[in-house]
Amino acid sequence: MWSTSIYEAQCDAIITFYGTTVPMEFIFKYNITGCPEGRYGLYCDNDCVCKNGARCHGFNGACECRPGWRGRACDVPWSEVVIVETPGDSVVKYIDTNLTLTCLAPHIHVANISWLHQAESNHNDTNLRIVEEAEMQNSSINFQPILESANGEYTCVVKAVDGGVMNTTFVLGATKCSPNYYGEACSQVCDCQYGGTCDRWEGCLCPPGRRHGDRCEHTCAPGTFGLNCSKNCDCQNQTSCDVVNGTCICAEGQWGEACENVESKPENNQVVILLTSVIPSIVIVGCILIVTLVRRRGVHTKNTEVDIEMETLSSWELDKEDIHFEHMIGEGEFGHVVRGRLRVPEGYQVLVAAKSIRPDRMTASVVRDFRREMDILARIHEIKEGHPNVVKFYGVLTKSEPQYIVVEYATNEELRRYLWSLREECKVTGHRRLLERLGFASGVASALSELARLKIVHRDIAARNVVISDRKVAKIADFGLSRDVYVSSAYERTNQGGEEELLPLK
């Protein structure tokens, strides 16, 4: 192994026990952390010289000495006073967690050890408080748990038998709650949803379009929008607005930025005049079309765009009892993506990503794009296995609300993020993984060739729309709504021929 990436192996099995068949899944993760003990270097081929329990740097072999030792190999005794933290100094100190401070005095004949505490808000020397005093070689203070009132400076004073005095100070500044907790004692759980973040005092801070507090499950009330629903809509004629950005959603026959304009209905006599003037023109145009169609009878044209006619998806309909939804893994301007487990006909479960339309975005154009994506995926998977470099399509749920498109779950996320991780890894190890990246490029090209054969135009091939499977295979994804689910900010709304379309900014 030449990488420090996490390796993961998954084993699926069907076990029969006393006549009962049970699907099982085992996942093993191997975290490669560096060279084995006592070795260092790029290829771990050098021997460490560190002594007395010192740690050896895996790259350059430098020794990290334990308290009481100095020198290049940590073999020189050194009298000193140190405070050791448990858990270690690299761990963030959160309120409501445990901490132990241990004062060590290696190579000192100790007569007495004292702990002094100076509160964080009081820097007057006369207010120093003796926490503990003992006659031993080391002494500890336990915080179970840490309270905010315990913050401040903790000084360990060591008096030696020969009369010498040495001390060292540790500063405790725990002001944050553990992740997903809030409140004065950090005892309340946030569990924020829909992209909300947990604040120490307020709980869930929700994205625009959702109210703060609870778990962000409530959208803004009608007539309000924005961050914490603090802004009021200025839409007219009793029209509603977008809860995220306040854009007015005009009804049929209304237009304008605030839907302030309304079409007036023509009077009866105007209708009669209009019909008498329009009908002859309609008849003439109809005759021309009929003649043209007769002349072109038998000639079929192929449409090379992705405007596929709605096909029956009954063969792709999944049983809702076979899928178990877990948690949301993505939310965009128009849809949600939820991770789940699907029981396949073979009897075992597979990880899937299920996409649906947000209830507050159920417009005709969004539903059209959603159905279009179903048709495209079904067409690509006319042969059930589909193409190895196109995200696998498992089926749809259309007989219940909300409706779902179910595809395979990509363990390694999108290609863009994966390439970023390779770049950071290369800075440390020097390995460029050229063959792996060429494999990704070849896989994408193979998928595009298949789409070209099927007369399908993706229109947005980019690294963000390619996912990497657990077997490190590049697969094209995002055939419609999923573009909005993952990266809605990378697209711009346009109006093409009276219909709303999304175009990639780049």
Side-chain angles (χ1 to χ4, degrees):
M1 295 180 179
W2 299 108
S3 169
T4 57
S5 299
I6 295 178
Y7 290 82
E8 181 176 298
Q10 178 174 330
C11 174
D12 296 318
I14 299 177
I15 299 175
T16 302
F17 186 73
Y18 289 107
T20 302
T21 301
V22 181
M24 303 289 289
E25 178 182 271
F26 304 91
I27 298 178
F28 306 92
K29 288 187 178 181
Y30 302 91
N31 191 0
I32 311 303
T33 57
C35 295
E37 186 176 355
R39 307 298 290 274
Y40 76 94
L42 183 60
Y43 300 105
C44 301
D45 54 352
N46 298 319
D47 295 323
C48 294
V49 297
C50 306
K51 299 180 180 179
N52 298 307
R55 292 179 57 189
C56 177
H57 192 284
F59 185 73
N60 57 29
C63 298
E64 182 182 352
C65 300
R66 299 181 65 182
W69 298 98
R70 296 288 176 91
R72 180 179 179 276
C74 299
D75 54 354
V76 179
W78 193 265
S79 300
E80 61 180 334
V81 176
V82 294
I83 296 177
V84 178
E85 311 163 44
T86 306
D89 56 3
S90 62
V91 178
V92 178
K93 307 302 182 292
Y94 292 115
I95 297 171
D96 203 36
T97 60
N98 297 335
L99 174 67
T100 299
L101 300 180
T102 303
C103 181
L104 303 177
H107 308 298
I108 298 177
H109 295 291
V110 178
N112 178 272
I113 292 181
S114 300
W115 283 94
L116 303 178
H117 175 225
Q118 180 173 278
E120 188 177 39
S121 58
N122 196 333
H123 296 282
N124 190 340
D125 292 339
T126 59
N127 285 280
L128 288 173
R129 181 170 64 89
I130 298 177
V131 179
E132 186 174 324
E133 190 170 6
E135 295 179 3
M136 56 183 66
Q137 191 65 29
N138 58 64
S139 176
S140 298
I141 300 178
N142 296 313
F143 301 89
Q144 295 182 340
I146 300 174
L147 301 177
E148 196 165 9
S149 58
N151 287 337
E153 296 181 357
Y154 289 84
T155 302
C156 176
V157 181
V158 176
K159 294 182 181 179
V161 174
D162 59 7
V165 177
M166 301 179 69
N167 68 76
T168 186
T169 299
F170 173 85
V171 179
L172 177 61
T175 58
K176 297 181 179 180
C177 298
S178 300
N180 203 38
Y181 286 86
Y182 75 102
E184 185 173 359
C186 298
S187 57
Q188 296 174 268
V189 182
C190 281
D191 280 345
C192 306
Q193 299 180 6
Y194 305 103
T197 57
C198 188
D199 180 79
R200 164 73 193 279
W201 300 108
E202 297 187 35
C204 290
L205 299 181
C206 306
R210 294 187 176 273
R211 297 201 302 269
H212 289 347
D214 296 327
R215 296 188 300 170
C216 303
E217 65 265 37
H218 301 297
T219 57
C220 294
T224 61
F225 72 96
L227 192 63
N228 198 23
C229 307
S230 58
K231 299 181 179 179
N232 295 320
C233 301
D234 57 359
C235 305
Q236 300 180 20
N237 295 315
Q238 298 181 340
T239 53
S240 59
C241 72
D242 186 292
V243 294
V244 176
N245 54 30
T247 302
C248 295
I249 304 173
C250 299
E252 185 178 356
Q254 299 177 343
W255 75 92
E257 190 170 327
C259 303
E260 66 274 16
N261 300 315
V262 181
E263 290 182 358
S264 57
K265 296 183 179 180
E267 297 180 2
N268 293 336
N269 58 345
Q270 292 177 329
V271 172
V272 173
I273 295 173
L274 181 63
L275 289 176
T276 55
S277 60
V278 169
I279 288 178
S281 300
I282 294 176
V283 172
I284 295 172
V285 172
C287 293
I288 295 173
L289 288 175
I290 291 172
V291 172
T292 303
L293 290 175
V294 170
R295 288 180 177 179
R296 295 187 179 183
R297 184 173 54 188
V299 179
H300 300 279
T301 59
K302 293 184 179 180
N303 187 1
T304 59
E305 297 187 1
V306 195
D307 191 11
I308 303 173
E309 295 189 12
M310 304 305 237
E311 298 177 358
T312 303
L313 293 168
S314 57
S315 62
W316 290 99
E317 189 70 32
L318 299 173
D319 189 344
K320 195 172 183 180
E321 299 298 323
D322 289 336
I323 187 168
H324 171 68
F325 297 115
E326 294 180 348
H327 58 271
M328 186 178 298
I329 57 176
E331 181 186 24
E333 190 173 352
F334 294 98
H336 296 153
V337 181
V338 180
R339 197 180 91 157
R341 294 180 181 271
L342 173 68
R343 184 181 300 279
V344 295
E346 291 78 7
Y348 57 87
Q349 291 184 329
V350 294
L351 285 175
V352 295
K355 294 179 275 189
S356 64
I357 304 175
R358 279 175 44 176
D360 57 330
R361 286 302 200 182
M362 198 69 68
T363 63
S365 61
V366 173
V367 172
R368 178 199 64 199
D369 290 341
F370 191 68
R371 188 59 184 259
R372 178 194 294 173
E373 182 173 12
M374 290 182 184
D375 291 334
I376 292 174
L377 289 171
R379 182 173 175 184
I380 295 172
H381 291 77
E382 288 175 352
I383 302 175
K384 284 287 184 179
E385 290 302 315
H387 190 276
N389 296 110
V390 176
V391 64
K392 184 175 178 59
F393 178 53
Y394 283 104
V396 297
L397 289 172
T398 61
K399 296 181 179 179
S400 60
E401 290 297 334
Q403 297 184 358
Y404 288 98
I405 297 175
V406 181
V407 298
E408 67 176 301
Y409 175 75
T411 306
N412 291 298
E413 299 182 323
E414 60 186 39
L415 176 60
R416 179 179 59 172
R417 293 185 180 277
Y418 192 79
L419 291 176
W420 286 348
S421 67
L422 290 185
R423 180 172 60 188
E424 295 304 314
E425 178 186 320
C426 182
K427 294 177 182 178
V428 178
T429 65
H431 297 295
R432 298 182 179 275
R433 295 204 188 184
L434 178 60
L435 290 179
E436 185 177 74
R437 289 185 286 124
L438 285 175
F440 294 156
S442 174
V444 173
S446 177
L448 288 175
S449 178
E450 174 67 6
L451 296 183
R453 184 185 71 83
L454 296 172
K455 299 291 191 292
I456 294 175
V457 182
H458 189 284
R459 297 192 303 171
D460 191 18
I461 294 297
R464 65 177 177 271
N465 290 336
V466 176
V467 296
I468 306 299
S469 72
D470 55 350
R471 296 186 179 182
K472 303 296 178 65
V473 177
K475 301 192 176 195
I476 289 181
D478 300 333
F479 290 87
L481 180 68
S482 52
R483 295 176 301 185
D484 312 320
V485 168
Y486 287 117
V487 201
S488 61
S489 60
Y491 298 85
E492 180 71 17
R493 288 196 190 92
T494 63
N495 192 291
Q496 303 290 335
E499 292 188 354
E500 184 184 81
E501 290 285 349
L502 289 176
L503 292 179
L505 289 178
K506 290 185 178 181

